[in-house]
Amino acid sequence: MKRRTKRRSLATPDLTPLIDVVFLLLIFFMLVTTFDKYSGFKLELPKGGVVSQTSKDIYELVIDQDENYFLLVDKISNPITLETLGEKVTNINEITISADKNLKYEVVVKAIGVLKSSGVDKVELNFYE
């Protein structure tokens, strides 16, 4: 008669506490570590002044509550219509639109469309009361 031997099952340790400890160590090292990307070598950064680039003319399109348009060039006001606005701003890269707060959104969008179609790259919006 054959003898039956019981097979021993391999004991496998529970890995859940080990994973918890690894995550706690990871969090600890992330909090304690300093990330200095220039600490490995000596780096001398140049010291220099800040040079600001400003355009010589500051352009601003003002739209009042009655939908009247004014083109301000260096704080000098020139009345203008929406139809002639495209001709006046052909060589301008940046302009600020100052519109009345109670003005319809459609009026501002039309002005932005005329400015973009005439070649203005940057349009800044300001609203006043």
Side-chain angles (χ1 to χ4, degrees):
M1 207 182 238
K2 269 191 181 180
R3 238 176 158 188
R4 250 185 193 195
T5 60
K6 289 185 178 179
R7 283 191 168 184
R8 288 188 184 179
S9 64
L10 296 175
T12 57
D14 187 20
L15 295 179
T16 306
L18 181 65
I19 294 172
D20 290 341
V21 170
V22 168
F23 280 128
L24 285 174
L25 286 172
L26 178 68
I27 291 170
F28 172 76
F29 287 124
M30 286 175 60
L31 291 176
V32 173
T33 304
T34 58
F35 295 102
D36 188 10
K37 61 183 176 181
Y38 298 118
S39 64
F41 53 92
K42 186 177 179 182
L43 178 67
E44 294 181 23
L45 296 175
K47 294 179 175 39
V50 176
V51 178
S52 64
Q53 296 177 348
T54 58
S55 60
K56 64 178 186 175
D57 294 330
I58 299 172
Y59 294 94
E60 182 176 3
L61 178 67
V62 178
I63 308 172
D64 65 1
Q65 189 174 7
D66 301 325
E67 297 182 19
N68 297 321
Y69 296 88
F70 300 95
L71 185 63
L72 279 89
V73 181
D74 290 332
K75 308 279 183 178
I76 299 171
S77 175
N78 302 317
I80 196 170
T81 62
L82 189 61
E83 291 79 23
T84 60
L85 178 63
E87 300 169 2
K88 298 285 185 181
V89 295
T90 53
N91 296 328
I92 300 173
N93 292 332
E94 184 176 348
I95 193 166
T96 302
I97 298 177
S98 297
D100 189 77
K101 185 172 119 177
N102 300 321
L103 196 62
K104 291 183 181 179
Y105 185 68
E106 176 184 340
V107 176
V108 178
V109 170
K110 284 182 184 178
I112 292 173
V114 169
L115 291 171
K116 287 291 186 177
S117 66
S118 64
V120 177
D121 294 330
K122 296 179 186 178
V123 177
E124 182 179 322
L125 296 175
N126 290 328
F127 293 98
Y128 63 90
E129 292 185 38

Short mmCIF file of all heavy atoms in Angstrom, two decimals, residues 48-115:
data_model
loop_
_atom_site.label_atom_id
_atom_site.label_comp_id
_atom_site.label_asym_id
_atom_site.label_seq_id
_atom_site.Cartn_x
_atom_site.Cartn_y
_atom_site.Cartn_z
N GLY A 48 23.59 90.77 -14.56
CA GLY A 48 23.34 91.83 -15.53
C GLY A 48 22.05 92.55 -15.20
O GLY A 48 21.24 92.10 -14.40
N GLY A 49 21.87 93.66 -15.82
CA GLY A 49 20.66 94.44 -15.60
C GLY A 49 19.53 93.96 -16.49
O GLY A 49 19.73 93.29 -17.50
N VAL A 50 18.34 94.32 -16.13
CA VAL A 50 17.16 93.96 -16.89
C VAL A 50 16.90 95.06 -17.90
O VAL A 50 16.81 96.24 -17.56
CB VAL A 50 15.94 93.78 -15.97
CG1 VAL A 50 14.70 93.49 -16.77
CG2 VAL A 50 16.20 92.68 -14.97
N VAL A 51 16.78 94.69 -19.14
CA VAL A 51 16.48 95.64 -20.20
C VAL A 51 15.04 95.41 -20.62
O VAL A 51 14.68 94.32 -21.05
CB VAL A 51 17.43 95.44 -21.41
CG1 VAL A 51 17.07 96.40 -22.52
CG2 VAL A 51 18.86 95.61 -20.98
N SER A 52 14.23 96.41 -20.46
CA SER A 52 12.83 96.27 -20.85
C SER A 52 12.66 96.75 -22.28
O SER A 52 13.23 97.75 -22.70
CB SER A 52 11.92 97.07 -19.91
OG SER A 52 12.22 98.45 -20.04
N GLN A 53 11.87 95.99 -23.01
CA GLN A 53 11.61 96.36 -24.39
C GLN A 53 10.24 97.02 -24.46
O GLN A 53 9.22 96.41 -24.15
CB GLN A 53 11.62 95.13 -25.28
CG GLN A 53 12.95 94.44 -25.34
CD GLN A 53 12.90 93.19 -26.18
OE1 GLN A 53 11.83 92.73 -26.55
NE2 GLN A 53 14.05 92.64 -26.48
N THR A 54 10.22 98.27 -24.82
CA THR A 54 8.97 98.99 -24.96
C THR A 54 8.91 99.56 -26.36
O THR A 54 9.92 99.98 -26.93
CB THR A 54 8.86 100.15 -23.95
OG1 THR A 54 9.97 101.03 -24.13
CG2 THR A 54 8.87 99.62 -22.51
N SER A 55 7.73 99.53 -26.90
CA SER A 55 7.57 100.13 -28.22
C SER A 55 7.54 101.64 -28.07
O SER A 55 7.14 102.17 -27.04
CB SER A 55 6.28 99.62 -28.88
OG SER A 55 5.17 99.96 -28.08
N LYS A 56 7.93 102.33 -29.11
CA LYS A 56 8.02 103.78 -28.98
C LYS A 56 6.64 104.43 -28.98
O LYS A 56 6.46 105.48 -28.41
CB LYS A 56 8.88 104.37 -30.09
CG LYS A 56 8.35 104.18 -31.48
CD LYS A 56 9.25 104.84 -32.49
CE LYS A 56 8.64 104.79 -33.87
NZ LYS A 56 9.43 105.51 -34.83
N ASP A 57 5.65 103.81 -29.58
CA ASP A 57 4.29 104.33 -29.57
C ASP A 57 3.37 103.34 -28.85
O ASP A 57 3.46 102.14 -29.07
CB ASP A 57 3.77 104.54 -30.99
CG ASP A 57 4.55 105.62 -31.73
OD1 ASP A 57 5.03 106.54 -31.06
OD2 ASP A 57 4.66 105.53 -32.96
N ILE A 58 2.51 103.87 -28.00
CA ILE A 58 1.53 103.05 -27.30
C ILE A 58 0.17 103.34 -27.91
O ILE A 58 -0.30 104.47 -27.90
CB ILE A 58 1.54 103.36 -25.79
CG1 ILE A 58 2.91 103.06 -25.20
CG2 ILE A 58 0.46 102.57 -25.08
CD1 ILE A 58 3.08 103.51 -23.78
N TYR A 59 -0.45 102.28 -28.44
CA TYR A 59 -1.74 102.43 -29.11
C TYR A 59 -2.85 101.88 -28.23
O TYR A 59 -2.72 100.83 -27.63
CB TYR A 59 -1.73 101.69 -30.44
CG TYR A 59 -0.78 102.28 -31.45
CD1 TYR A 59 0.52 101.79 -31.58
CD2 TYR A 59 -1.18 103.32 -32.26
CE1 TYR A 59 1.39 102.32 -32.50
CE2 TYR A 59 -0.32 103.87 -33.19
CZ TYR A 59 0.97 103.36 -33.31
OH TYR A 59 1.82 103.90 -34.22
N GLU A 60 -3.96 102.62 -28.19
CA GLU A 60 -5.12 102.19 -27.41
C GLU A 60 -6.38 102.57 -28.18
O GLU A 60 -6.51 103.68 -28.67
CB GLU A 60 -5.11 102.86 -26.04
CG GLU A 60 -6.25 102.42 -25.16
CD GLU A 60 -6.17 103.03 -23.77
OE1 GLU A 60 -5.25 103.82 -23.50
OE2 GLU A 60 -7.04 102.70 -22.95
N LEU A 61 -7.29 101.62 -28.30
CA LEU A 61 -8.58 101.86 -28.93
C LEU A 61 -9.61 101.98 -27.82
O LEU A 61 -9.81 101.05 -27.05
CB LEU A 61 -8.95 100.72 -29.88
CG LEU A 61 -10.30 100.84 -30.56
CD1 LEU A 61 -10.31 102.02 -31.53
CD2 LEU A 61 -10.64 99.56 -31.28
N VAL A 62 -10.25 103.13 -27.72
CA VAL A 62 -11.25 103.38 -26.69
C VAL A 62 -12.62 103.35 -27.34
O VAL A 62 -12.86 104.03 -28.35
CB VAL A 62 -11.01 104.74 -25.99
CG1 VAL A 62 -12.08 104.99 -24.95
CG2 VAL A 62 -9.64 104.77 -25.36
N ILE A 63 -13.53 102.57 -26.76
CA ILE A 63 -14.91 102.49 -27.24
C ILE A 63 -15.80 102.93 -26.09
O ILE A 63 -15.82 102.30 -25.04
CB ILE A 63 -15.28 101.06 -27.69
CG1 ILE A 63 -14.25 100.52 -28.67
CG2 ILE A 63 -16.66 101.04 -28.30
CD1 ILE A 63 -14.43 99.05 -29.01
N ASP A 64 -16.54 104.03 -26.29
CA ASP A 64 -17.39 104.52 -25.21
C ASP A 64 -18.77 103.86 -25.26
O ASP A 64 -19.04 103.00 -26.09
CB ASP A 64 -17.49 106.05 -25.24
CG ASP A 64 -18.17 106.59 -26.48
OD1 ASP A 64 -18.60 105.79 -27.33
OD2 ASP A 64 -18.27 107.82 -26.60
N GLN A 65 -19.65 104.29 -24.36
CA GLN A 65 -20.97 103.65 -24.22
C GLN A 65 -21.84 103.87 -25.45
O GLN A 65 -22.70 103.06 -25.76
CB GLN A 65 -21.67 104.20 -22.97
CG GLN A 65 -22.93 103.47 -22.61
CD GLN A 65 -23.50 103.96 -21.30
OE1 GLN A 65 -23.01 104.91 -20.72
NE2 GLN A 65 -24.53 103.30 -20.83
N ASP A 66 -21.61 104.95 -26.19
CA ASP A 66 -22.40 105.25 -27.40
C ASP A 66 -21.79 104.66 -28.65
O ASP A 66 -22.13 105.07 -29.76
CB ASP A 66 -22.54 106.77 -27.55
CG ASP A 66 -23.22 107.40 -26.35
OD1 ASP A 66 -24.12 106.76 -25.78
OD2 ASP A 66 -22.83 108.52 -25.97
N GLU A 67 -20.87 103.74 -28.51
CA GLU A 67 -20.17 103.06 -29.60
C GLU A 67 -19.35 104.01 -30.47
O GLU A 67 -19.25 103.84 -31.69
CB GLU A 67 -21.15 102.23 -30.45
CG GLU A 67 -21.81 101.11 -29.69
CD GLU A 67 -22.73 100.29 -30.56
OE1 GLU A 67 -22.59 100.34 -31.80
OE2 GLU A 67 -23.59 99.60 -30.00
N ASN A 68 -18.78 105.03 -29.87
CA ASN A 68 -17.85 105.91 -30.56
C ASN A 68 -16.44 105.37 -30.35
O ASN A 68 -16.07 104.95 -29.25
CB ASN A 68 -17.94 107.34 -30.00
CG ASN A 68 -19.30 107.94 -30.25
OD1 ASN A 68 -19.90 107.72 -31.30
ND2 ASN A 68 -19.81 108.68 -29.28
N TYR A 69 -15.65 105.39 -31.41
CA TYR A 69 -14.30 104.84 -31.37
C TYR A 69 -13.28 105.98 -31.35
O TYR A 69 -13.42 106.96 -32.07
CB TYR A 69 -14.04 103.97 -32.61
CG TYR A 69 -14.92 102.76 -32.68
CD1 TYR A 69 -16.16 102.81 -33.30
CD2 TYR A 69 -14.51 101.54 -32.16
CE1 TYR A 69 -16.97 101.69 -33.38
CE2 TYR A 69 -15.30 100.42 -32.23
CZ TYR A 69 -16.53 100.51 -32.85
OH TYR A 69 -17.33 99.39 -32.91
N PHE A 70 -12.25 105.81 -30.50
CA PHE A 70 -11.17 106.78 -30.41
C PHE A 70 -9.86 106.01 -30.42
O PHE A 70 -9.70 105.06 -29.65
CB PHE A 70 -11.27 107.62 -29.14
CG PHE A 70 -12.54 108.41 -29.04
CD1 PHE A 70 -13.62 107.92 -28.34
CD2 PHE A 70 -12.64 109.64 -29.65
CE1 PHE A 70 -14.80 108.63 -28.25
CE2 PHE A 70 -13.81 110.38 -29.57
CZ PHE A 70 -14.89 109.87 -28.87
N LEU A 71 -8.93 106.40 -31.27
CA LEU A 71 -7.61 105.78 -31.31
C LEU A 71 -6.64 106.70 -30.59
O LEU A 71 -6.40 107.83 -31.03
CB LEU A 71 -7.16 105.55 -32.75
CG LEU A 71 -5.84 104.80 -32.93
CD1 LEU A 71 -5.96 103.39 -32.36
CD2 LEU A 71 -5.44 104.75 -34.37
N LEU A 72 -6.11 106.22 -29.46
CA LEU A 72 -5.16 107.00 -28.69
C LEU A 72 -3.75 106.56 -29.05
O LEU A 72 -3.40 105.39 -28.93
CB LEU A 72 -5.37 106.80 -27.19
CG LEU A 72 -6.49 107.62 -26.55
CD1 LEU A 72 -7.78 106.87 -26.62
CD2 LEU A 72 -6.13 107.92 -25.14
N VAL A 73 -2.94 107.51 -29.53
CA VAL A 73 -1.54 107.26 -29.84
C VAL A 73 -0.73 108.15 -28.91
O VAL A 73 -0.76 109.37 -29.04
CB VAL A 73 -1.21 107.57 -31.32
CG1 VAL A 73 0.24 107.29 -31.60
CG2 VAL A 73 -2.13 106.80 -32.24
N ASP A 74 -0.04 107.52 -27.96
CA ASP A 74 0.71 108.26 -26.94
C ASP A 74 -0.16 109.29 -26.22
O ASP A 74 0.18 110.45 -26.12
CB ASP A 74 1.95 108.93 -27.54
CG ASP A 74 3.00 107.92 -27.95
OD1 ASP A 74 3.04 106.84 -27.32
OD2 ASP A 74 3.78 108.20 -28.87
N LYS A 75 -1.33 108.84 -25.80
CA LYS A 75 -2.30 109.63 -25.02
C LYS A 75 -2.93 110.77 -25.82
O LYS A 75 -3.56 111.65 -25.25
CB LYS A 75 -1.66 110.19 -23.74
CG LYS A 75 -0.97 109.18 -22.89
CD LYS A 75 -1.93 108.44 -22.05
CE LYS A 75 -1.15 107.48 -21.16
NZ LYS A 75 -1.95 106.73 -20.27
N ILE A 76 -2.78 110.78 -27.14
CA ILE A 76 -3.42 111.79 -27.98
C ILE A 76 -4.61 111.12 -28.66
O ILE A 76 -4.47 110.13 -29.37
CB ILE A 76 -2.44 112.35 -29.03
CG1 ILE A 76 -1.26 113.00 -28.33
CG2 ILE A 76 -3.15 113.32 -29.96
CD1 ILE A 76 -0.14 113.39 -29.26
N SER A 77 -5.81 111.67 -28.44
CA SER A 77 -7.05 111.06 -28.89
C SER A 77 -7.39 111.49 -30.31
O SER A 77 -7.35 112.68 -30.65
CB SER A 77 -8.18 111.45 -27.95
OG SER A 77 -9.40 110.95 -28.44
N ASN A 78 -7.74 110.50 -31.16
CA ASN A 78 -8.19 110.75 -32.52
C ASN A 78 -9.50 110.00 -32.75
O ASN A 78 -9.52 108.77 -32.67
CB ASN A 78 -7.15 110.24 -33.54
CG ASN A 78 -5.80 110.89 -33.37
OD1 ASN A 78 -5.71 112.08 -33.15
ND2 ASN A 78 -4.75 110.09 -33.45
N PRO A 79 -10.60 110.73 -33.04
CA PRO A 79 -11.85 110.02 -33.34
C PRO A 79 -11.70 109.20 -34.62
O PRO A 79 -11.03 109.61 -35.56
CB PRO A 79 -12.87 111.13 -33.52
CG PRO A 79 -12.23 112.38 -33.08
CD PRO A 79 -10.76 112.16 -33.05
N ILE A 80 -12.33 108.03 -34.65
CA ILE A 80 -12.17 107.12 -35.77
C ILE A 80 -13.45 106.30 -35.91
O ILE A 80 -14.21 106.16 -34.95
CB ILE A 80 -10.93 106.22 -35.54
CG1 ILE A 80 -10.49 105.55 -36.82
CG2 ILE A 80 -11.17 105.22 -34.47
CD1 ILE A 80 -9.16 104.86 -36.71
N THR A 81 -13.69 105.78 -37.09
CA THR A 81 -14.82 104.88 -37.30
C THR A 81 -14.30 103.46 -37.44
O THR A 81 -13.12 103.22 -37.68
CB THR A 81 -15.61 105.26 -38.57
OG1 THR A 81 -14.74 105.13 -39.70
CG2 THR A 81 -16.15 106.66 -38.48
N LEU A 82 -15.21 102.51 -37.33
CA LEU A 82 -14.81 101.10 -37.42
C LEU A 82 -14.32 100.76 -38.82
O LEU A 82 -13.43 99.93 -38.98
CB LEU A 82 -15.99 100.20 -37.02
CG LEU A 82 -15.70 98.72 -36.85
CD1 LEU A 82 -14.67 98.50 -35.76
CD2 LEU A 82 -16.96 97.96 -36.53
N GLU A 83 -14.84 101.41 -39.83
CA GLU A 83 -14.44 101.14 -41.21
C GLU A 83 -13.02 101.62 -41.50
O GLU A 83 -12.28 101.00 -42.25
CB GLU A 83 -15.42 101.81 -42.19
CG GLU A 83 -16.80 101.18 -42.19
CD GLU A 83 -17.67 101.65 -41.02
OE1 GLU A 83 -17.41 102.75 -40.46
OE2 GLU A 83 -18.59 100.91 -40.66
N THR A 84 -12.61 102.73 -40.91
CA THR A 84 -11.27 103.26 -41.16
C THR A 84 -10.24 102.76 -40.15
O THR A 84 -9.06 103.07 -40.27
CB THR A 84 -11.29 104.81 -41.12
OG1 THR A 84 -11.75 105.24 -39.84
CG2 THR A 84 -12.18 105.37 -42.21
N LEU A 85 -10.69 101.97 -39.18
CA LEU A 85 -9.78 101.46 -38.16
C LEU A 85 -8.72 100.54 -38.76
O LEU A 85 -7.56 100.61 -38.40
CB LEU A 85 -10.58 100.72 -37.07
CG LEU A 85 -9.77 100.07 -35.96
CD1 LEU A 85 -9.03 101.14 -35.16
CD2 LEU A 85 -10.68 99.28 -35.04
N GLY A 86 -9.11 99.71 -39.71
CA GLY A 86 -8.16 98.78 -40.33
C GLY A 86 -7.03 99.48 -41.05
O GLY A 86 -5.89 99.01 -41.07
N GLU A 87 -7.31 100.63 -41.67
CA GLU A 87 -6.28 101.38 -42.39
C GLU A 87 -5.28 102.04 -41.42
O GLU A 87 -4.10 102.17 -41.73
CB GLU A 87 -6.93 102.46 -43.24
CG GLU A 87 -7.88 101.91 -44.28
CD GLU A 87 -8.71 103.02 -44.92
OE1 GLU A 87 -8.51 104.20 -44.56
OE2 GLU A 87 -9.56 102.71 -45.76
N LYS A 88 -5.76 102.46 -40.26
CA LYS A 88 -4.92 103.19 -39.31
C LYS A 88 -3.97 102.29 -38.53
O LYS A 88 -2.97 102.76 -38.02
CB LYS A 88 -5.80 103.97 -38.31
CG LYS A 88 -6.69 105.00 -38.94
CD LYS A 88 -5.88 106.20 -39.34
CE LYS A 88 -6.83 107.29 -39.86
NZ LYS A 88 -6.12 108.47 -40.28
N VAL A 89 -4.29 101.00 -38.43
CA VAL A 89 -3.49 100.11 -37.57
C VAL A 89 -2.73 99.07 -38.38
O VAL A 89 -2.41 98.00 -37.86
CB VAL A 89 -4.39 99.41 -36.52
CG1 VAL A 89 -4.97 100.40 -35.56
CG2 VAL A 89 -5.47 98.59 -37.18
N THR A 90 -2.37 99.37 -39.61
CA THR A 90 -1.71 98.36 -40.45
C THR A 90 -0.31 98.01 -39.97
O THR A 90 0.14 96.90 -40.12
CB THR A 90 -1.64 98.85 -41.91
OG1 THR A 90 -1.04 100.14 -41.93
CG2 THR A 90 -3.02 98.89 -42.53
N ASN A 91 0.42 98.95 -39.37
CA ASN A 91 1.80 98.69 -38.94
C ASN A 91 1.93 98.50 -37.44
O ASN A 91 3.02 98.60 -36.89
CB ASN A 91 2.70 99.85 -39.38
CG ASN A 91 2.77 99.95 -40.89
OD1 ASN A 91 2.67 98.95 -41.58
ND2 ASN A 91 2.91 101.16 -41.38
N ILE A 92 0.83 98.20 -36.77
CA ILE A 92 0.83 98.06 -35.31
C ILE A 92 0.84 96.58 -34.96
O ILE A 92 0.11 95.79 -35.55
CB ILE A 92 -0.41 98.75 -34.70
CG1 ILE A 92 -0.40 100.24 -35.03
CG2 ILE A 92 -0.45 98.54 -33.20
CD1 ILE A 92 -1.65 100.96 -34.62
N ASN A 93 1.68 96.20 -33.99
CA ASN A 93 1.73 94.81 -33.54
C ASN A 93 0.91 94.57 -32.29
O ASN A 93 0.42 93.47 -32.06
CB ASN A 93 3.17 94.38 -33.26
CG ASN A 93 3.98 94.31 -34.53
OD1 ASN A 93 3.45 94.08 -35.60
ND2 ASN A 93 5.28 94.54 -34.41
N GLU A 94 0.77 95.59 -31.46
CA GLU A 94 0.10 95.42 -30.17
C GLU A 94 -0.79 96.62 -29.91
O GLU A 94 -0.39 97.77 -30.11
CB GLU A 94 1.15 95.29 -29.07
CG GLU A 94 0.61 95.02 -27.72
CD GLU A 94 1.71 94.81 -26.70
OE1 GLU A 94 2.88 94.65 -27.08
OE2 GLU A 94 1.39 94.82 -25.50
N ILE A 95 -2.02 96.35 -29.44
CA ILE A 95 -2.96 97.42 -29.14
C ILE A 95 -3.81 97.02 -27.94
O ILE A 95 -4.04 95.83 -27.70
CB ILE A 95 -3.84 97.74 -30.38
CG1 ILE A 95 -4.60 99.05 -30.19
CG2 ILE A 95 -4.78 96.61 -30.67
CD1 ILE A 95 -5.21 99.59 -31.46
N THR A 96 -4.26 98.01 -27.19
CA THR A 96 -5.13 97.79 -26.04
C THR A 96 -6.51 98.34 -26.36
O THR A 96 -6.63 99.46 -26.84
CB THR A 96 -4.58 98.49 -24.79
OG1 THR A 96 -3.27 98.01 -24.53
CG2 THR A 96 -5.45 98.24 -23.58
N ILE A 97 -7.53 97.54 -26.11
CA ILE A 97 -8.91 97.99 -26.29
C ILE A 97 -9.48 98.31 -24.92
O ILE A 97 -9.54 97.43 -24.06
CB ILE A 97 -9.78 96.93 -26.99
CG1 ILE A 97 -9.25 96.64 -28.39
CG2 ILE A 97 -11.23 97.38 -27.05
CD1 ILE A 97 -10.01 95.56 -29.12
N SER A 98 -9.89 99.55 -24.71
CA SER A 98 -10.56 99.95 -23.48
C SER A 98 -12.01 100.22 -23.84
O SER A 98 -12.31 101.13 -24.60
CB SER A 98 -9.93 101.20 -22.89
OG SER A 98 -8.60 100.94 -22.52
N ALA A 99 -12.91 99.42 -23.30
CA ALA A 99 -14.33 99.54 -23.65
C ALA A 99 -15.15 99.78 -22.39
O ALA A 99 -14.76 99.41 -21.29
CB ALA A 99 -14.79 98.26 -24.34
N ASP A 100 -16.30 100.40 -22.59
CA ASP A 100 -17.23 100.63 -21.49
C ASP A 100 -17.78 99.30 -21.00
O ASP A 100 -18.01 98.37 -21.78
CB ASP A 100 -18.36 101.55 -21.96
CG ASP A 100 -19.23 102.00 -20.83
OD1 ASP A 100 -18.83 102.90 -20.07
OD2 ASP A 100 -20.33 101.42 -20.68
N LYS A 101 -18.00 99.21 -19.70
CA LYS A 101 -18.47 97.96 -19.10
C LYS A 101 -19.87 97.59 -19.57
O LYS A 101 -20.20 96.41 -19.70
CB LYS A 101 -18.44 98.10 -17.58
CG LYS A 101 -18.78 96.86 -16.82
CD LYS A 101 -18.52 97.08 -15.35
CE LYS A 101 -19.82 96.92 -14.62
NZ LYS A 101 -19.68 97.05 -13.18
N ASN A 102 -20.69 98.56 -19.88
CA ASN A 102 -22.07 98.31 -20.27
C ASN A 102 -22.23 98.13 -21.78
O ASN A 102 -23.34 98.00 -22.27
CB ASN A 102 -22.95 99.46 -19.80
CG ASN A 102 -22.91 99.60 -18.29
OD1 ASN A 102 -22.89 98.61 -17.58
ND2 ASN A 102 -22.88 100.83 -17.81
N LEU A 103 -21.16 98.11 -22.51
CA LEU A 103 -21.18 97.97 -23.96
C LEU A 103 -21.51 96.54 -24.34
O LEU A 103 -21.16 95.59 -23.63
CB LEU A 103 -19.81 98.37 -24.51
CG LEU A 103 -19.70 98.65 -26.00
CD1 LEU A 103 -20.57 99.82 -26.39
CD2 LEU A 103 -18.26 98.97 -26.34
N LYS A 104 -22.18 96.36 -25.47
CA LYS A 104 -22.50 95.01 -25.94
C LYS A 104 -21.20 94.30 -26.33
O LYS A 104 -20.29 94.90 -26.88
CB LYS A 104 -23.41 95.06 -27.15
CG LYS A 104 -24.80 95.53 -26.85
CD LYS A 104 -25.65 95.48 -28.09
CE LYS A 104 -27.04 95.97 -27.82
NZ LYS A 104 -27.87 95.95 -29.03
N TYR A 105 -21.17 93.03 -26.05
CA TYR A 105 -19.99 92.22 -26.35
C TYR A 105 -19.72 92.17 -27.85
O TYR A 105 -18.59 92.10 -28.30
CB TYR A 105 -20.20 90.82 -25.78
CG TYR A 105 -19.02 89.92 -25.90
CD1 TYR A 105 -17.87 90.16 -25.17
CD2 TYR A 105 -19.03 88.83 -26.75
CE1 TYR A 105 -16.76 89.34 -25.28
CE2 TYR A 105 -17.93 88.00 -26.86
CZ TYR A 105 -16.81 88.26 -26.12
OH TYR A 105 -15.74 87.44 -26.24
N GLU A 106 -20.77 92.25 -28.63
CA GLU A 106 -20.68 92.18 -30.10
C GLU A 106 -19.83 93.32 -30.65
O GLU A 106 -19.06 93.12 -31.61
CB GLU A 106 -22.09 92.22 -30.67
CG GLU A 106 -22.16 92.26 -32.16
CD GLU A 106 -23.60 92.40 -32.64
OE1 GLU A 106 -24.53 92.10 -31.89
OE2 GLU A 106 -23.77 92.83 -33.79
N VAL A 107 -19.91 94.49 -30.07
CA VAL A 107 -19.15 95.65 -30.54
C VAL A 107 -17.66 95.42 -30.34
O VAL A 107 -16.84 95.70 -31.23
CB VAL A 107 -19.62 96.93 -29.80
CG1 VAL A 107 -18.78 98.12 -30.20
CG2 VAL A 107 -21.09 97.19 -30.07
N VAL A 108 -17.28 94.85 -29.19
CA VAL A 108 -15.88 94.59 -28.92
C VAL A 108 -15.35 93.49 -29.84
O VAL A 108 -14.23 93.57 -30.35
CB VAL A 108 -15.70 94.21 -27.43
CG1 VAL A 108 -14.26 93.87 -27.13
CG2 VAL A 108 -16.17 95.34 -26.53
N VAL A 109 -16.17 92.47 -30.10
CA VAL A 109 -15.75 91.38 -30.98
C VAL A 109 -15.55 91.87 -32.40
O VAL A 109 -14.60 91.46 -33.09
CB VAL A 109 -16.78 90.22 -30.92
CG1 VAL A 109 -16.49 89.19 -31.99
CG2 VAL A 109 -16.79 89.57 -29.55
N LYS A 110 -16.39 92.77 -32.86
CA LYS A 110 -16.20 93.35 -34.20
C LYS A 110 -14.89 94.12 -34.28
O LYS A 110 -14.16 94.03 -35.27
CB LYS A 110 -17.37 94.27 -34.56
CG LYS A 110 -18.62 93.55 -34.96
CD LYS A 110 -19.70 94.55 -35.34
CE LYS A 110 -21.00 93.85 -35.65
NZ LYS A 110 -22.06 94.82 -35.98
N ALA A 111 -14.59 94.89 -33.24
CA ALA A 111 -13.34 95.65 -33.22
C ALA A 111 -12.14 94.71 -33.22
O ALA A 111 -11.15 94.95 -33.93
CB ALA A 111 -13.31 96.58 -32.01
N ILE A 112 -12.21 93.64 -32.45
CA ILE A 112 -11.11 92.66 -32.43
C ILE A 112 -10.95 92.02 -33.80
O ILE A 112 -9.84 91.81 -34.29
CB ILE A 112 -11.35 91.59 -31.34
CG1 ILE A 112 -11.25 92.23 -29.96
CG2 ILE A 112 -10.35 90.44 -31.46
CD1 ILE A 112 -11.63 91.30 -28.83
N GLY A 113 -12.06 91.72 -34.47
CA GLY A 113 -12.00 91.14 -35.81
C GLY A 113 -11.33 92.06 -36.81
O GLY A 113 -10.52 91.61 -37.63
N VAL A 114 -11.65 93.36 -36.76
CA VAL A 114 -11.02 94.32 -37.66
C VAL A 114 -9.52 94.42 -37.36
O VAL A 114 -8.70 94.47 -38.29
CB VAL A 114 -11.72 95.70 -37.54
CG1 VAL A 114 -10.93 96.77 -38.26
CG2 VAL A 114 -13.14 95.63 -38.07
N LEU A 115 -9.17 94.44 -36.08
CA LEU A 115 -7.76 94.55 -35.72
C LEU A 115 -6.98 93.32 -36.16
O LEU A 115 -5.88 93.43 -36.70
CB LEU A 115 -7.62 94.75 -34.21
CG LEU A 115 -8.11 96.09 -33.66
CD1 LEU A 115 -8.11 96.07 -32.15
CD2 LEU A 115 -7.27 97.23 -34.18
#
